[in-house]
Amino acid sequence: MESLSGRALRRRKLRLFLLSPEIDQEWTWTERYAAQPEILRYAHFVADRLGVRPYFTFNMAMVGADYDEAVARWTIRTDKGDSLTAQFVVMATGCLAVPKDPAIPGLGDFAGETYFTSRWPHEDVSFAGKRVGVIGTGSSGIQAITAVAEKAGELFVFQRTPTFSVPARNAPISPEKMDEAKAIYPDRRRDARASYAGLKATPGTRKTFEMNDEERRANFDQAWARGGFSMLGAFPDHMMTIEANDQVADYVRGEINVIVEDQAVAEALKPRGYPIGSRRVALDTGYHAVYNKPNVHLVDLKVDPIRDVTAEGVRTESATYPLDMLILATGFDAFTGALSSVDIYGRDGRLLRDVWAQSADCFLGMAVHGFPNMFMITGPSGPTAISNVIATIEANVEWLVRAFTYARDHDIEALEANADAQSAWAAKVAGLAENSLYMRGNSWYMGANIPGKPVQFMCYLGGLPSYRQICDQVIDAGFEGAFDVTYKAPAEMA
Ligand code: NA7
């Protein structure tokens, strides 16, 4: 840590975080939706290109952090028994980092191979000829099911809640197309930054019922053919009224009928009882079609719930499914999981986990009252899950660079989210969500997937541009009314 001190180096580090148009141009993507190996190669490329590898320490986990108010410093404790001290701490711990405990009785007794999609091994896993069970049909389950169905001897999908899933239309990007895209990267970045969800998208301008049935159908057909989140952008009002939402949902359910040959299976796969978009919509590559394969079987847990897992396989109330492999795609303790799973003690010894057990409040999705000088990227109450996550990360990182630069230039010792400002932000986030269709989704966006977790909508629905503006105003006003500021003592400044 000592080697990273020094004003010049600190300045350089701050700049390195910012977007690099040069790097944009140097990297060539090969697919519309790059797979994990390509994304990993990109991460390595960026790290090398920016020369930031020396600043990373790998294979070390934080087990706890303590704030010492007397010196305004954090001490981070690691699993290696070391500790590190810093004025500011940024928790870039991810909003989907800690797997949910599926709490299925007997899971540990299973004698076959068990995998979690959230902790997939780096080595190849062979499904060939095996009897594989997948529990969970969110985005991760849908991707796993589509891949496993190709290779497995038999695949049993244990579905509790069907997910709305639309075609991604993934495809290779030709070098010519890539060149065309690169030529307009700056425009696309600018448009994405100015958009509600941080995505370069051109949502329809006419509302759902401003078209007649035929026009609406044609509009949906085009969106379905385009793929990706186009279905959700076909009309600008799909999250505004349930009537508009039903039109999209009915279209998607209708496509399931077209794709899936067995109509009883099609019926079981149709999501019902919640608005499309209120839970994360999955993007797939041939998901529904896998149910036409003779080796793929849907087990509808709404009709026949899981009783337990035994050494042989999964037992439901009315049947037993012997398996060689079990894959759990059962989701995450989102937003708060990573930081609640370690011991973070703030001012006056308060434990973050206990504070969040009441309510996962977080000012601007970046700071918590009682935890001075600790900041988060994609924390609860930011725009994260409702926006392109990368765009939220950029918004947070750019704001933090400004905040730390301001703090350094104004001899600020400590910044703590003001209690009233945090309450007002929580009220704003809750107010935006209150009458929205999102509240009907029982999703991980609101902690509803974790038993005992307070149910509150954890995403700011005001859109990225307004979020950036609000965050910028805080620094423009010198943190006045938003953060409680402690300045360095005169002796220290000298
Ligand atoms: P999700 O979207 O939270 O999906 C988890 C799935 O697992 C969902 O279908 C759950 O059904 C199911 N689940 C969870 N626990 C159980 C038990 N005990 N029994 C049966 N089924 C269970 O997680 P993902 O990893 O797919 O996706 C997370 C995000 O990553 C995604 O939204 C994208 O943003 C990327 P339930 O809904 O609880 O009935």
Side-chain angles (χ1 to χ4, degrees), residues 96 100 102 104 117 135-141 158 160-161 163 279-280 301 306 329-332 444 449:
L96 292 165
K100 166 192 156 163
I104 300 171
T117 49
I135 300 180
T137 51
S139 294
S140 308
F158 297 92
R160 192 161 63 184
T161 306
T163 291
R279 299 161 65 98
R280 173 65 143 72
L301 302 181
I306 291 178
T330 40
F332 296 86
W444 58 260
N449 64 328

mmCIF file of all heavy atoms in Angstrom, residues 96 100 102 104 117 135-141 158 160-161 163 279-280 301 306 329-332 444 449, ligand 1:
data_model
loop_
_atom_site.group_PDB
_atom_site.id
_atom_site.type_symbol
_atom_site.label_atom_id
_atom_site.label_comp_id
_atom_site.label_asym_id
_atom_site.label_seq_id
_atom_site.Cartn_x
_atom_site.Cartn_y
_atom_site.Cartn_z
ATOM 1 N N LEU A 96 -24.762 -8.724 -7.409
ATOM 2 C CA LEU A 96 -25.199 -10.127 -7.478
ATOM 3 C C LEU A 96 -23.965 -10.987 -7.223
ATOM 4 O O LEU A 96 -23.390 -11.567 -8.141
ATOM 5 C CB LEU A 96 -25.792 -10.442 -8.857
ATOM 6 C CG LEU A 96 -27.121 -9.766 -9.188
ATOM 7 C CD1 LEU A 96 -27.416 -9.857 -10.677
ATOM 8 C CD2 LEU A 96 -28.270 -10.365 -8.392
ATOM 9 N N LYS A 100 -27.803 -17.144 -3.114
ATOM 10 C CA LYS A 100 -28.857 -17.393 -2.129
ATOM 11 C C LYS A 100 -28.742 -18.841 -1.651
ATOM 12 O O LYS A 100 -28.418 -19.729 -2.447
ATOM 13 C CB LYS A 100 -30.202 -17.176 -2.829
ATOM 14 C CG LYS A 100 -31.391 -17.695 -2.091
ATOM 15 C CD LYS A 100 -32.642 -17.718 -2.957
ATOM 16 C CE LYS A 100 -33.590 -18.752 -2.395
ATOM 17 N NZ LYS A 100 -34.956 -18.601 -2.884
ATOM 18 N N PRO A 102 -30.453 -21.996 -1.160
ATOM 19 C CA PRO A 102 -31.774 -22.456 -1.639
ATOM 20 C C PRO A 102 -32.597 -23.169 -0.562
ATOM 21 O O PRO A 102 -33.795 -23.354 -0.726
ATOM 22 C CB PRO A 102 -31.429 -23.393 -2.794
ATOM 23 C CG PRO A 102 -30.016 -23.793 -2.594
ATOM 24 C CD PRO A 102 -29.343 -22.705 -1.800
ATOM 25 N N ILE A 104 -32.984 -26.184 0.455
ATOM 26 C CA ILE A 104 -33.744 -27.379 0.066
ATOM 27 C C ILE A 104 -33.274 -28.524 0.964
ATOM 28 O O ILE A 104 -32.074 -28.839 0.998
ATOM 29 C CB ILE A 104 -33.518 -27.725 -1.420
ATOM 30 C CG1 ILE A 104 -33.978 -26.549 -2.298
ATOM 31 C CG2 ILE A 104 -34.251 -29.010 -1.797
ATOM 32 C CD1 ILE A 104 -33.614 -26.685 -3.762
ATOM 33 N N THR A 117 -24.800 -22.322 -10.552
ATOM 34 C CA THR A 117 -24.476 -21.458 -11.704
ATOM 35 C C THR A 117 -23.658 -20.255 -11.242
ATOM 36 O O THR A 117 -22.848 -19.720 -11.991
ATOM 37 C CB THR A 117 -25.750 -20.968 -12.409
ATOM 38 O OG1 THR A 117 -26.655 -20.441 -11.434
ATOM 39 C CG2 THR A 117 -26.419 -22.068 -13.195
ATOM 40 N N ILE A 135 -32.418 -26.801 -11.040
ATOM 41 C CA ILE A 135 -33.436 -26.153 -10.196
ATOM 42 C C ILE A 135 -33.288 -24.649 -10.388
ATOM 43 O O ILE A 135 -32.212 -24.089 -10.169
ATOM 44 C CB ILE A 135 -33.260 -26.516 -8.701
ATOM 45 C CG1 ILE A 135 -33.382 -28.033 -8.520
ATOM 46 C CG2 ILE A 135 -34.309 -25.775 -7.848
ATOM 47 C CD1 ILE A 135 -33.232 -28.506 -7.074
ATOM 48 N N GLY A 136 -34.359 -23.994 -10.798
ATOM 49 C CA GLY A 136 -34.329 -22.541 -11.005
ATOM 50 C C GLY A 136 -34.421 -22.189 -12.473
ATOM 51 O O GLY A 136 -33.706 -22.761 -13.307
ATOM 52 N N THR A 137 -35.311 -21.268 -12.780
ATOM 53 C CA THR A 137 -35.524 -20.880 -14.177
ATOM 54 C C THR A 137 -35.505 -19.360 -14.335
ATOM 55 O O THR A 137 -36.331 -18.785 -15.043
ATOM 56 C CB THR A 137 -36.857 -21.462 -14.714
ATOM 57 O OG1 THR A 137 -37.898 -21.125 -13.786
ATOM 58 C CG2 THR A 137 -36.779 -22.964 -14.901
ATOM 59 N N GLY A 138 -34.552 -18.698 -13.638
ATOM 60 C CA GLY A 138 -34.293 -17.283 -13.920
ATOM 61 C C GLY A 138 -33.323 -17.203 -15.100
ATOM 62 O O GLY A 138 -33.120 -18.198 -15.822
ATOM 63 N N SER A 139 -32.693 -16.059 -15.280
ATOM 64 C CA SER A 139 -31.767 -15.886 -16.420
ATOM 65 C C SER A 139 -30.692 -16.963 -16.443
ATOM 66 O O SER A 139 -30.381 -17.517 -17.502
ATOM 67 C CB SER A 139 -31.059 -14.533 -16.335
ATOM 68 O OG SER A 139 -31.968 -13.507 -16.504
ATOM 69 N N SER A 140 -30.106 -17.253 -15.268
ATOM 70 C CA SER A 140 -29.003 -18.221 -15.219
ATOM 71 C C SER A 140 -29.497 -19.617 -15.560
ATOM 72 O O SER A 140 -28.857 -20.350 -16.321
ATOM 73 C CB SER A 140 -28.351 -18.246 -13.832
ATOM 74 O OG SER A 140 -27.997 -16.960 -13.424
ATOM 75 N N GLY A 141 -30.641 -20.006 -14.977
ATOM 76 C CA GLY A 141 -31.203 -21.322 -15.251
ATOM 77 C C GLY A 141 -31.504 -21.476 -16.737
ATOM 78 O O GLY A 141 -31.196 -22.513 -17.337
ATOM 79 N N PHE A 158 -36.595 -28.195 -13.010
ATOM 80 C CA PHE A 158 -37.507 -27.998 -11.873
ATOM 81 C C PHE A 158 -37.874 -26.516 -11.822
ATOM 82 O O PHE A 158 -37.065 -25.685 -11.400
ATOM 83 C CB PHE A 158 -36.840 -28.469 -10.576
ATOM 84 C CG PHE A 158 -36.544 -29.946 -10.583
ATOM 85 C CD1 PHE A 158 -35.314 -30.426 -11.023
ATOM 86 C CD2 PHE A 158 -37.512 -30.862 -10.179
ATOM 87 C CE1 PHE A 158 -35.038 -31.787 -11.058
ATOM 88 C CE2 PHE A 158 -37.250 -32.227 -10.209
ATOM 89 C CZ PHE A 158 -36.007 -32.693 -10.650
ATOM 90 N N ARG A 160 -40.193 -23.373 -10.585
ATOM 91 C CA ARG A 160 -41.194 -22.873 -9.634
ATOM 92 C C ARG A 160 -41.948 -21.692 -10.260
ATOM 93 O O ARG A 160 -43.161 -21.689 -10.335
ATOM 94 C CB ARG A 160 -40.534 -22.465 -8.325
ATOM 95 C CG ARG A 160 -41.527 -22.223 -7.221
ATOM 96 C CD ARG A 160 -40.882 -22.278 -5.872
ATOM 97 N NE ARG A 160 -39.873 -21.244 -5.669
ATOM 98 C CZ ARG A 160 -39.117 -21.155 -4.571
ATOM 99 N NH1 ARG A 160 -39.250 -22.044 -3.605
ATOM 100 N NH2 ARG A 160 -38.238 -20.190 -4.440
ATOM 101 N N THR A 161 -41.198 -20.672 -10.706
ATOM 102 C CA THR A 161 -41.836 -19.512 -11.335
ATOM 103 C C THR A 161 -41.331 -19.383 -12.771
ATOM 104 O O THR A 161 -40.126 -19.199 -12.979
ATOM 105 C CB THR A 161 -41.490 -18.216 -10.565
ATOM 106 O OG1 THR A 161 -41.834 -18.399 -9.189
ATOM 107 C CG2 THR A 161 -42.235 -17.027 -11.127
ATOM 108 N N THR A 163 -40.216 -17.691 -16.147
ATOM 109 C CA THR A 163 -39.654 -16.369 -16.436
ATOM 110 C C THR A 163 -40.028 -15.951 -17.855
ATOM 111 O O THR A 163 -40.011 -16.786 -18.766
ATOM 112 C CB THR A 163 -38.116 -16.450 -16.307
ATOM 113 O OG1 THR A 163 -37.792 -16.645 -14.937
ATOM 114 C CG2 THR A 163 -37.409 -15.194 -16.801
ATOM 115 N N ARG A 279 -39.924 -8.485 -13.095
ATOM 116 C CA ARG A 279 -38.799 -9.357 -12.750
ATOM 117 C C ARG A 279 -37.902 -9.357 -13.983
ATOM 118 O O ARG A 279 -38.370 -9.089 -15.079
ATOM 119 C CB ARG A 279 -39.274 -10.794 -12.473
ATOM 120 C CG ARG A 279 -40.235 -10.901 -11.303
ATOM 121 C CD ARG A 279 -41.026 -12.194 -11.360
ATOM 122 N NE ARG A 279 -40.200 -13.368 -11.196
ATOM 123 C CZ ARG A 279 -40.038 -14.034 -10.048
ATOM 124 N NH1 ARG A 279 -40.677 -13.646 -8.963
ATOM 125 N NH2 ARG A 279 -39.277 -15.096 -9.983
ATOM 126 N N ARG A 280 -36.636 -9.657 -13.809
ATOM 127 C CA ARG A 280 -35.698 -9.543 -14.924
ATOM 128 C C ARG A 280 -36.149 -10.440 -16.080
ATOM 129 O O ARG A 280 -36.339 -11.652 -15.898
ATOM 130 C CB ARG A 280 -34.297 -9.931 -14.434
ATOM 131 C CG ARG A 280 -33.253 -10.021 -15.495
ATOM 132 C CD ARG A 280 -32.977 -8.660 -16.148
ATOM 133 N NE ARG A 280 -31.580 -8.517 -16.464
ATOM 134 C CZ ARG A 280 -30.941 -9.163 -17.447
ATOM 135 N NH1 ARG A 280 -31.592 -9.995 -18.213
ATOM 136 N NH2 ARG A 280 -29.663 -8.957 -17.636
ATOM 137 N N LEU A 301 -43.097 -27.208 -10.410
ATOM 138 C CA LEU A 301 -43.105 -27.273 -8.934
ATOM 139 C C LEU A 301 -44.331 -26.602 -8.334
ATOM 140 O O LEU A 301 -44.633 -26.809 -7.161
ATOM 141 C CB LEU A 301 -41.820 -26.640 -8.371
ATOM 142 C CG LEU A 301 -40.504 -27.259 -8.840
ATOM 143 C CD1 LEU A 301 -39.320 -26.543 -8.186
ATOM 144 C CD2 LEU A 301 -40.447 -28.750 -8.504
ATOM 145 N N ILE A 306 -41.006 -29.525 -4.633
ATOM 146 C CA ILE A 306 -39.878 -30.354 -4.158
ATOM 147 C C ILE A 306 -40.101 -30.664 -2.676
ATOM 148 O O ILE A 306 -40.401 -29.766 -1.885
ATOM 149 C CB ILE A 306 -38.537 -29.611 -4.342
ATOM 150 C CG1 ILE A 306 -38.196 -29.483 -5.835
ATOM 151 C CG2 ILE A 306 -37.399 -30.336 -3.605
ATOM 152 C CD1 ILE A 306 -36.912 -28.722 -6.127
ATOM 153 N N ALA A 329 -29.600 -23.121 -9.969
ATOM 154 C CA ALA A 329 -29.590 -21.775 -10.571
ATOM 155 C C ALA A 329 -30.581 -20.941 -9.767
ATOM 156 O O ALA A 329 -31.540 -20.393 -10.279
ATOM 157 C CB ALA A 329 -30.000 -21.856 -12.038
ATOM 158 N N THR A 330 -30.330 -20.910 -8.447
ATOM 159 C CA THR A 330 -31.347 -20.434 -7.510
ATOM 160 C C THR A 330 -31.180 -18.976 -7.078
ATOM 161 O O THR A 330 -31.850 -18.523 -6.162
ATOM 162 C CB THR A 330 -31.382 -21.376 -6.281
ATOM 163 O OG1 THR A 330 -30.052 -21.735 -5.923
ATOM 164 C CG2 THR A 330 -32.153 -22.640 -6.593
ATOM 165 N N GLY A 331 -30.289 -18.246 -7.730
ATOM 166 C CA GLY A 331 -30.249 -16.796 -7.536
ATOM 167 C C GLY A 331 -29.316 -16.306 -6.443
ATOM 168 O O GLY A 331 -28.483 -17.057 -5.909
ATOM 169 N N PHE A 332 -29.497 -15.042 -6.106
ATOM 170 C CA PHE A 332 -28.534 -14.319 -5.259
ATOM 171 C C PHE A 332 -29.231 -13.537 -4.141
ATOM 172 O O PHE A 332 -30.389 -13.153 -4.272
ATOM 173 C CB PHE A 332 -27.770 -13.297 -6.114
ATOM 174 C CG PHE A 332 -26.930 -13.925 -7.190
ATOM 175 C CD1 PHE A 332 -27.486 -14.243 -8.424
ATOM 176 C CD2 PHE A 332 -25.597 -14.223 -6.964
ATOM 177 C CE1 PHE A 332 -26.718 -14.826 -9.418
ATOM 178 C CE2 PHE A 332 -24.823 -14.808 -7.950
ATOM 179 C CZ PHE A 332 -25.385 -15.109 -9.184
ATOM 180 N N TRP A 444 -35.955 -10.220 -6.960
ATOM 181 C CA TRP A 444 -34.749 -9.913 -6.176
ATOM 182 C C TRP A 444 -34.500 -8.416 -6.144
ATOM 183 O O TRP A 444 -33.744 -7.934 -5.314
ATOM 184 C CB TRP A 444 -33.530 -10.695 -6.665
ATOM 185 C CG TRP A 444 -33.092 -10.535 -8.090
ATOM 186 C CD1 TRP A 444 -33.348 -11.389 -9.129
ATOM 187 C CD2 TRP A 444 -32.287 -9.488 -8.652
ATOM 188 N NE1 TRP A 444 -32.758 -10.932 -10.284
ATOM 189 C CE2 TRP A 444 -32.100 -9.771 -10.021
ATOM 190 C CE3 TRP A 444 -31.698 -8.327 -8.134
ATOM 191 C CZ2 TRP A 444 -31.357 -8.950 -10.884
ATOM 192 C CZ3 TRP A 444 -30.963 -7.503 -8.989
ATOM 193 C CH2 TRP A 444 -30.804 -7.821 -10.337
ATOM 194 N N ASN A 449 -36.833 -12.572 -2.785
ATOM 195 C CA ASN A 449 -36.393 -13.967 -2.978
ATOM 196 C C ASN A 449 -35.656 -14.523 -1.759
ATOM 197 O O ASN A 449 -35.319 -15.690 -1.727
ATOM 198 C CB ASN A 449 -35.480 -14.068 -4.220
ATOM 199 C CG ASN A 449 -34.191 -13.276 -4.059
ATOM 200 O OD1 ASN A 449 -34.176 -12.250 -3.387
ATOM 201 N ND2 ASN A 449 -33.115 -13.736 -4.659
HETATM 202 P P1 NA7 B 1 -32.990 -15.467 -10.220
HETATM 203 O O1 NA7 B 1 -33.470 -14.630 -11.344
HETATM 204 O O2 NA7 B 1 -33.222 -14.975 -8.844
HETATM 205 O O3 NA7 B 1 -33.637 -16.905 -10.415
HETATM 206 C C1 NA7 B 1 -33.563 -17.890 -9.417
HETATM 207 C C2 NA7 B 1 -34.481 -19.041 -9.786
HETATM 208 O O4 NA7 B 1 -34.336 -20.071 -8.839
HETATM 209 C C3 NA7 B 1 -35.951 -18.655 -9.793
HETATM 210 O O5 NA7 B 1 -36.583 -19.349 -10.843
HETATM 211 C C4 NA7 B 1 -36.422 -19.163 -8.436
HETATM 212 O O6 NA7 B 1 -37.788 -19.433 -8.372
HETATM 213 C C5 NA7 B 1 -35.619 -20.431 -8.332
HETATM 214 N N1 NA7 B 1 -35.465 -20.895 -6.962
HETATM 215 C C6 NA7 B 1 -34.821 -20.262 -5.943
HETATM 216 N N2 NA7 B 1 -34.868 -21.017 -4.834
HETATM 217 C C7 NA7 B 1 -35.575 -22.131 -5.148
HETATM 218 C C8 NA7 B 1 -35.968 -23.280 -4.432
HETATM 219 N N3 NA7 B 1 -35.636 -23.434 -3.154
HETATM 220 N N4 NA7 B 1 -36.699 -24.221 -5.067
HETATM 221 C C9 NA7 B 1 -37.018 -24.069 -6.366
HETATM 222 N N5 NA7 B 1 -36.677 -23.004 -7.113
HETATM 223 C C10 NA7 B 1 -35.955 -22.051 -6.505
HETATM 224 O O7 NA7 B 1 -31.417 -15.748 -10.335
HETATM 225 P P2 NA7 B 1 -30.510 -15.867 -11.656
HETATM 226 O O8 NA7 B 1 -29.165 -16.293 -11.206
HETATM 227 O O9 NA7 B 1 -31.177 -16.691 -12.685
HETATM 228 O O10 NA7 B 1 -30.458 -14.419 -12.228
HETATM 229 C C11 NA7 B 1 -30.008 -13.331 -11.433
HETATM 230 C C12 NA7 B 1 -29.684 -12.199 -12.318
HETATM 231 O O11 NA7 B 1 -28.425 -12.420 -12.954
HETATM 232 C C13 NA7 B 1 -30.629 -11.979 -13.449
HETATM 233 O O12 NA7 B 1 -31.792 -11.350 -13.060
HETATM 234 C C14 NA7 B 1 -29.801 -11.177 -14.412
HETATM 235 O O13 NA7 B 1 -29.813 -9.821 -14.025
HETATM 236 C C15 NA7 B 1 -28.428 -11.762 -14.239
HETATM 237 P P3 NA7 B 1 -38.777 -18.358 -7.650
HETATM 238 O O14 NA7 B 1 -38.737 -17.172 -8.560
HETATM 239 O O15 NA7 B 1 -38.168 -18.058 -6.314
HETATM 240 O O16 NA7 B 1 -40.085 -19.046 -7.559
#
